Amino acid sequence: MLKDKIKLPASDKPGKIFPDRLGSLVMATGLEEKGNEIERSEFEVESGEELEAIKPGALGFHRESDDGGETVEEEKDENDQRIRQKVNKDAGSASVSLLKSISLDEKRSDLEYELARREINLEKLRRIASTGIPDGGGLRATAWKLLLGYLPSSHDLWETQLKENRQKYASMKEELLLNPSEHIWKEPKHLSSTKMHEDNNADGPLKRHEISVEDHPLSLDKESLWKQYFQHTEIVEQIDRDLQRTHPDMPFFSAETSFSQKNREAMKNILLLFAKSNPAICYVQGMNEVLAPIYFVFSTDTDKQNAENAEADSFSCFVRILGDSVDHFCQQLDNSSSGILATLSRLSDILKVNDEQLWHHLEFTSKVKTQFYAFRWITLLLTQEFKFESILRIWDTILSNTFGVQDMLLRICCAMLLCVKSRLLNGDFVANIKLLQHYPDDINLEYLLQVAQDISPDTSSYILSI
């Protein structure tokens, strides 16, 4: 547990980081900076051992031995005691399961009550969500939208805000994703009507539609719609390939059904629109993995209207969740204070003040640098390190953090190292690289998240005792 707990100073990065069209859709990317204490999560308790079948003669019905061996009654009592212990253990596990079920129901009830209020208490919502949001009922979809600031705290404004954001997305999609030929031939209705009337009254041969040089498919002009369209063809192909590999074990993403294809098409629209709206960042391989949890949660919302608008809502929340880490995807900013190298260095510093022994072993003894394993952890928000249901649980905690996604993300990364400390200290370069690039799935996730909550994000002074 912590002996000293020091809050991280607020980031000096500007809140509005997305240019042009994206900035008009997402007005702020920062989360509120009002601290709150996190309730301790429940730890999972393994179920007890099942009763073994009693074999013939196992109860010891035999004559007492002449050399002082056990009697029939003594052996029977011993077996009875062992059976009673097993029964008690099973009963205890059943009691724990029942308590967990009751606790989950209470959490669901608290969350439903909070989300139904006219004015949402965001501090309380963060407190509940940080311990894990129950599946089902659309609770996670609504909570994530609130935690990301996509929905306002006032319930009365939800309908207006959603309608406005969804209309903006539709307009951006129409402007940026249409085939150039659709733009060229598209005319306002009143012009089309007038032109048709003139053509009907005209004598002689039909007139051809005039196409400017800039609108020709072979035009090299920078302002040509066709030139811009062809420039993004390779990006579309890369997105398609990545989407085919997104969670191949989940039919939602990877099956060849019309349902899965619809999901991939919606995700492609989001990623391509992001790329076109942010030419300095464009599309980077792996963004599909960050989008997947958001789109899955929103499209499986039990509210039919919300599920139908999952594409528009996912786009805005995808932009927001990348808010304080978007520079990680821009290679030109790798060496800047907001680039990925600076973030990796910060993770190393956090580990050093939390466990200098482990830090020294990784940095100098086994020479396992943070960029060898944590680059993927950080840029993809741990989406490649855990099973999908665990990713959703981790994101409940990440999105609930008052100081933003990156702050809690780095604490969880540090906790991942601390939870395998003994294995790392006993490992060399090869063993440790293998362990960290294929993080073990037998780690108690709730314990790991609790360790992350207790880690100090401040690298100036800290003492850890676990």
Side-chain angles (χ1 to χ4, degrees):
M1 298 297 294
L2 293 176
K3 294 184 179 178
D4 294 308
K5 195 168 187 177
I6 305 174
K7 290 185 179 179
L8 181 70
S11 172
D12 58 357
K13 289 183 62 180
K16 183 177 179 182
I17 61 174
F18 292 95
D20 306 327
R21 301 181 181 87
L22 209 53
S24 65
L25 182 60
V26 182
M27 294 182 293
T29 57
L31 299 177
E32 295 184 33
E33 297 187 358
K34 185 176 180 181
N36 60 275
E37 292 297 321
I38 306 299
E39 296 177 352
R40 180 173 294 275
S41 303
E42 299 172 2
F43 296 148
E44 296 181 2
V45 180
E46 295 182 357
S47 59
E49 182 183 358
E50 295 184 359
L51 293 177
E52 298 177 356
I54 300 176
K55 299 179 181 179
L59 296 181
F61 291 106
H62 56 273
R63 295 177 60 185
E64 181 180 358
S65 61
D66 295 335
D67 57 355
E70 290 183 330
T71 64
V72 172
E73 291 301 324
E74 288 174 342
E75 188 168 348
K76 182 176 182 300
D77 289 343
E78 183 181 342
N79 279 279
D80 287 346
Q81 184 178 2
R82 185 169 64 252
I83 292 173
R84 281 195 297 271
Q85 289 175 348
K86 292 181 178 180
V87 171
N88 289 337
K89 185 178 180 181
D90 286 343
S93 298
S95 299
V96 171
S97 299
L98 179 60
L99 290 173
K100 286 188 65 177
S101 177
I102 294 174
S103 177
L104 193 63
D105 289 341
E106 289 178 349
K107 185 190 295 185
R108 183 186 300 276
S109 178
D110 289 345
L111 199 53
E112 289 175 344
Y113 172 77
E114 194 59 45
L115 294 178
R117 296 179 61 181
R118 291 189 64 180
E119 189 69 29
I120 308 299
N121 185 331
L122 292 177
E123 186 175 341
K124 184 176 180 181
L125 176 62
R126 290 192 188 101
R127 209 161 47 234
I128 298 173
S130 67
T131 63
I133 300 173
D135 296 325
L139 295 178
R140 180 172 276 122
T142 304
W144 281 14
K145 290 173 185 176
L146 283 161
L147 294 171
L148 286 166
Y150 181 61
L151 285 178
S153 58
S154 176
H155 204 298
D156 295 339
L157 299 177
W158 285 10
E159 184 176 354
T160 302
Q161 190 73 39
L162 287 173
K163 182 178 180 180
E164 180 180 342
N165 285 338
R166 289 165 180 173
Q167 286 178 343
K168 285 182 179 179
Y169 177 77
S171 298
M172 291 174 65
K173 186 176 176 181
E174 182 177 3
E175 178 184 355
L176 296 176
L177 299 189
L178 278 181
N179 185 292
S181 61
E182 296 178 85
H183 278 292
I184 295 169
W185 295 101
K186 189 175 180 181
E187 294 180 340
K189 290 184 178 179
H190 69 279
L191 293 179
S192 298
S193 177
T194 302
K195 183 175 177 61
M196 184 180 297
H197 179 72
E198 292 176 352
D199 289 343
N200 288 338
N201 293 330
D203 295 327
L206 296 176
K207 296 180 180 180
R208 296 178 60 187
H209 182 79
E210 296 296 331
I211 299 178
S212 64
V213 175
E214 291 79 8
D215 292 334
H216 195 282
L218 300 181
S219 173
L220 299 178
D221 191 280
K222 293 182 178 179
E223 300 300 322
S224 170
L225 293 175
W226 281 104
K227 181 176 176 59
Q228 296 173 21
Y229 177 77
F230 289 132
Q231 283 179 337
H232 287 92
T233 301
E234 292 184 5
I235 298 176
V236 172
E237 293 175 351
Q238 180 65 59
I239 292 174
D240 280 333
R241 286 194 297 269
D242 291 347
L243 289 175
Q244 289 288 345
R245 295 191 290 261
T246 303
H247 297 288
D249 57 328
M250 295 181 63
F252 179 91
F253 297 105
S254 61
E256 292 305 320
T257 62
S258 58
F259 174 71
S260 299
Q261 291 172 353
K262 179 183 73 70
N263 293 333
R264 290 195 295 271
E265 187 67 23
M267 292 174 68
K268 180 172 72 173
N269 290 338
I270 294 170
L271 295 171
L272 183 56
L273 185 55
F274 180 89
K276 288 190 172 185
S277 302
N278 297 270
I281 307 165
C282 205
Y283 170 77
V284 179
Q285 189 173 13
M287 285 183 174
N288 58 302
E289 301 291 350
V290 179
L291 173 62
I294 304 172
Y295 182 75
F296 175 85
V297 169
F298 290 175
S299 62
T300 55
D301 193 336
T302 52
D303 184 290
K304 184 177 179 181
Q305 186 175 10
N306 286 338
E308 290 175 350
N309 288 279
E311 182 180 328
D313 296 344
S314 295
F315 174 79
S316 293
C317 289
F318 173 70
V319 171
R320 290 168 182 269
I321 205 170
L322 288 182
D324 56 355
S325 64
V326 70
D327 290 349
H328 295 164
F329 293 97
C330 189
Q331 188 174 3
Q332 293 86 342
L333 297 176
D334 281 354
N335 294 310
S336 70
S337 59
S338 59
I340 184 62
L341 296 181
T343 302
L344 290 168
S345 178
R346 185 181 168 214
L347 172 60
S348 179
D349 291 341
I350 294 175
L351 176 62
K352 182 179 180 179
V353 297
N354 280 273
D355 195 314
E356 189 167 357
Q357 178 191 17
L358 180 56
W359 169 82
H360 188 277
H361 179 78
L362 290 176
E363 288 285 333
F364 299 103
T365 306
S366 61
K367 300 186 183 302
V368 178
K369 307 296 183 181
T370 50
Q371 56 263 37
F372 296 163
Y373 59 89
F375 183 92
R376 186 178 67 184
W377 292 7
I378 293 171
T379 55
L380 302 188
L381 277 65
L382 300 174
T383 54
Q384 292 289 285
E385 317 312 318
F386 297 91
K387 296 179 181 178
F388 193 76
E389 58 270 20
S390 297
I391 295 170
L392 301 184
R393 171 63 191 92
I394 291 171
W395 278 28
D396 290 341
T397 296
I398 287 178
L399 299 184
S400 302
N401 187 41
T402 306
F403 298 104
V405 170
Q406 283 297 302
D407 175 79
M408 181 52 67
L409 176 63
L410 291 182
R411 285 201 253 172
I412 293 176
C413 289
C414 185
M416 290 168 65
L417 298 171
L418 296 176
C419 286
V420 292
K421 175 180 177 178
S422 60
R423 282 183 262 188
L424 290 172
L425 291 178
N426 291 322
D428 57 9
F429 176 85
V430 175
N432 288 343
I433 283 291
K434 183 177 180 180
L435 175 66
L436 296 177
Q437 289 187 349
H438 301 86
Y439 196 77
D441 57 6
D442 59 348
I443 297 295
N444 187 314
L445 184 59
E446 293 300 330
Y447 174 73
L448 186 152
L449 292 175
Q450 187 58 55
V451 171
Q453 297 279 15
D454 292 340
I455 284 177
S456 170
D458 192 332
T459 58
S460 60
S461 62
Y462 179 77
I463 300 176
L464 177 70
S465 58
I466 58 172

